[in-house]
Amino acid sequence: MDLAVVGTGVAGLTAALRAVELGLRVVAVTKTTVEDGNTRWAQGGIAVVLPGHHASPAGDSVDAHVADTLAAGAGLCDEAAVRAILAAGPCAVNALRAHGAVFDGGWADVQRTREGGHRAYRVIHAGGDATGAEIERALADSARSRQLALLEGQSVTEVLRDDTGRVAGLALLDELGDGVLRARAVLLATGGLGQLYAASTNADVATGDGLALALRAGALTADLEFVQFHPTALYLGTGSRGRQPLITEAVRGEGAVLLDTAGAPVMTGVHPLGALAPRDVVAAAITRRMAATGTDHVLLDATHLGGAELRRRFPTVYAACRSIGVDPSGEPIPVVPAAHYHCGGVVTDTSGRTTVPGLYAAGEVARTGLHGANRLASNSLLEGLVMGRRAAEAVAADFMVSRCPGPPLPSYDLRPVADRDALQQSMSAHAGIGRDSAGLAAASSVAEATTRRRIRTPRDAEDAGLTLAAAAVLAAAAARTESRGCHLRTDHPRAAKRRRSITVVLDDAGTPVPAEPALVGGVA
Ligand code: SIN
């Protein structure tokens, strides 16, 4: 096999399909089923400036999109990467359309909305608030009709390397046992780590697998401390666990306002963009207001839209509200911040190459420099589309110069595994919005309270991944003694003058450690 793609969300399927077009022998591997990832839950849309659509009369431009991305990223974006990825958006969206994705309004008059941090209406969407579901449908249909090789129900336990250090394939595990898949290149497109937290907008499969695989393979990672909380998950009651329904920012883009439970506006005077401030600002303001009023949620008032418009424009949100007995046309929606997106990840260039020869990464698992300390809304689907294509093209280009790998070297070592429930509780208590050194140390103790286990089941593999991902996020969070973007330290409330990315690698004992000096993608 030339290329094994791990993950079948927007970045993974885009990469696999592009690699097939380039004539590579490709297999896409997923631990569940093709459609069962995070992509299908994405609501708002794709942030993209389309020539001929947005430039006039809205006056939007790629430069304006770059400026909004840099402002949201709180000083840690890599401007060259931001520009390269955003400028490639139209081409990537056209490729997605060629796979059959259909956008609201039809292409000639495609509809656009706004989300947090955007100063222009540039977010295109599908199915009202079901953009991710439409993307996943189109790419999965295309994969099946092109007979892309799909390995479902296979957990990846290790990226195998040959005796020169080059990637040589994957160690796999299913309910029947383990096996080896030989591949000249591996692309990680496994998504994020929302399941590190007790409550998250992420699918159950978001267990930090790719981050853990890359760290164990020796790859450099960065910006791991920046875990973004979405300001408005549907409030399901005190202590609700697992995947929480999302209330897309586009509802605020269409004029909904945030109120506390006494009816006072939450965002007045907080930021010039009000309820459409960047996501870190809104989530922090809600958290402060909940603390000040002693409540565990706030309210999102979208009643001005009326029932018919809510059902047409936001069918997913409407159905989620109705499922808990809330009628958003007649009453405000109860909402609360929840873990949503990992802004950092495996360091890659703007072609998806990691620091390990033969290992590539794209989508949420990767750190390209696009997001900095806080991702701009709806830049993630765009990044998946652009970087999926680019990574496939990089694999093909690199094959022209690389030699064939030697035999893979499976290793079935013992892995540290912490208790998943305790880990989620302590990450939620100490590594969410508002962190301090004592809390981070307490969470690290939970992540270090492990037993060393042979990985025998897919659940063991996930738990080992979560344990390593937690330790890596906590190491980075402890090392960043300032507040910036979605990393809010109550013991270091201000931003430091020096802007730097913190990188993390595994030491010889397999422990994640911050690597100094930190110099990644233009930010030192
Ligand atoms: C949303 O629709 O609010 C989420 C979009 C995103 O995470 O970018």
Side-chain angles (χ1 to χ4, degrees), residues 260-261 284-298:
D260 65 22
T261 49
I286 291 174
T287 304
R288 281 196 304 272
R289 185 63 64 91
M290 291 192 306
T293 54
T295 53
D296 57 3
H297 66 282
V298 294

Side-chain angles (χ1 to χ4, degrees), residues 367-379:
R367 182 274 188 204
T368 58
L370 174 63
H371 308 312
N374 174 59
R375 176 176 65 87
L376 183 67
S378 285
N379 267 357

Side-chain angles (χ1 to χ4, degrees), residues 41-46 115-116 118 123 129 131 201 228 230-232 246-252 279 340-341 375-381:
W41 300 106
Q43 293 186 358
I46 303 174
E115 290 185 50
H118 289 276
V123 177
D129 58 6
T131 314
T201 61
Q228 184 175 70
H230 196 287
T232 58
L246 187 65
I247 307 295
T248 172
E249 290 203 335
V251 179
R252 276 175 279 139
R279 203 167 271 176
H340 182 62
Y341 191 87
R375 176 176 65 87
L376 183 67
S378 285
N379 267 357
S380 49
L381 289 176

Side-chain angles (χ1 to χ4, degrees), residues 32 91 127 161 167 183 194 202 207 228 274 338 355 366 387 390 484 516:
T32 53
C91 171
R161 300 176 68 180
V167 161
N202 290 185
T207 49
Q228 184 175 70
T355 52
M387 292 306 299
R390 288 185 161 211
R484 184 181 294 280
E516 291 283 350

